[in-house]
Amino acid sequence: MLFRLAYLGVTNALALLRLLPMSDRDKDAEILALRHQILVLERHLHGERVQFTRADRAWLAALLHPLPRTVLNRLRLLVRPETVLRWHRDLIAHRHARISRPRRVGRPRTIRSIRTLVLRLASENSTWGYRRIHGELLILGVKVAASTVWDRLTHLTIHRRDRLGGILHEYERAA
């Protein structure tokens, strides 16, 4: 879409350069011809809606936005002036939504120092469960969810099981 919008911008800029050497009479004649073509197109469509691409909408919205509403009402357009203004509002909203979108999706990672503290408390106090470790962290002033502590402990037990399983496997080999 961005490429198409750039293409439309370049072609329309070249069209504007073509208008510079033209006289006002020639420009008025071209405008009348274009208005007549719009009338023929509307008659040919039999009341059906014209489908614009996103790039066409963006170009028309950018081109017609600076014009006051009174001028827009006098123009012969394939769409209502309110539609052009809505397209412009949608462009601005889409731009702001893209800018304010977070760079990384999902929940932010737990800070490494908190993860190591959870693992240290778990290794030094093997009888404590995740709720006790969570309570101790709250007493220390570390704000972390109990589910995060539980998640860290499950990762720890998985790694312990793997290490233990590897040791048992080697012991069975030796026997």
Side-chain angles (χ1 to χ4, degrees):
M1 190 205 91
L2 188 63
F3 179 71
R4 182 166 170 77
L5 186 60
Y7 171 75
L8 284 173
V10 169
T11 55
N12 285 322
L14 292 175
L16 286 174
L17 289 175
R18 186 182 60 89
L19 291 176
L20 287 176
M22 291 176 69
S23 68
D24 288 341
R25 184 176 176 201
D26 295 338
K27 290 177 189 175
D28 290 339
E30 185 173 353
I31 290 172
L32 287 174
L34 290 173
R35 286 184 180 176
H36 181 69
Q37 290 176 25
I38 291 172
L39 283 172
V40 170
L41 178 62
E42 286 177 341
R43 196 172 37 222
H44 183 27
L45 288 174
H46 301 293
E48 293 179 28
R49 294 178 64 190
V50 179
Q51 298 295 322
F52 287 96
T53 63
R54 289 181 64 189
D56 293 332
R57 290 178 185 175
W59 178 253
L60 278 174
L63 185 65
L64 298 174
H65 176 69
L67 299 176
R69 188 175 278 230
T70 55
V71 175
L72 280 177
N73 288 333
R74 285 188 309 214
L75 291 178
R76 186 78 178 139
L77 299 170
L78 292 176
V79 293
R80 293 186 318 216
E82 293 83 23
T83 305
V84 174
L85 295 175
R86 181 176 47 86
W87 288 348
H88 189 264
R89 281 193 309 268
D90 292 345
L91 277 175
I92 299 300
H94 181 71
R95 179 178 179 271
H96 286 294
R98 188 179 67 241
I99 290 171
S100 63
R101 186 178 306 138
R103 300 286 180 239
R104 294 183 72 184
V105 295
R107 188 173 181 177
R109 294 189 64 178
T110 308
I111 300 171
R112 179 177 290 168
S113 61
I114 294 175
R115 290 190 311 238
T116 56
L117 183 60
V118 168
L119 296 179
R120 181 176 169 205
L121 284 173
S123 64
E124 291 176 0
N125 306 298
S126 59
T127 59
W128 288 3
Y130 77 95
R131 290 202 183 269
R132 173 76 187 266
I133 294 173
H134 176 251
E136 292 295 325
L137 288 172
L138 289 179
I139 291 171
L140 293 173
V142 178
K143 293 188 177 183
V144 65
S147 60
T148 304
V149 175
W150 180 81
D151 185 49
R152 291 287 98 202
L153 290 179
T154 55
H155 283 292
L156 177 68
T157 55
I158 288 171
H159 291 302
R160 279 187 182 166
R161 285 181 190 159
D162 287 346
R163 261 190 274 140
L164 187 63
I167 291 170
L168 288 175
H169 185 68
E170 288 185 20
Y171 177 76
E172 290 171 358
R173 266 198 208 163

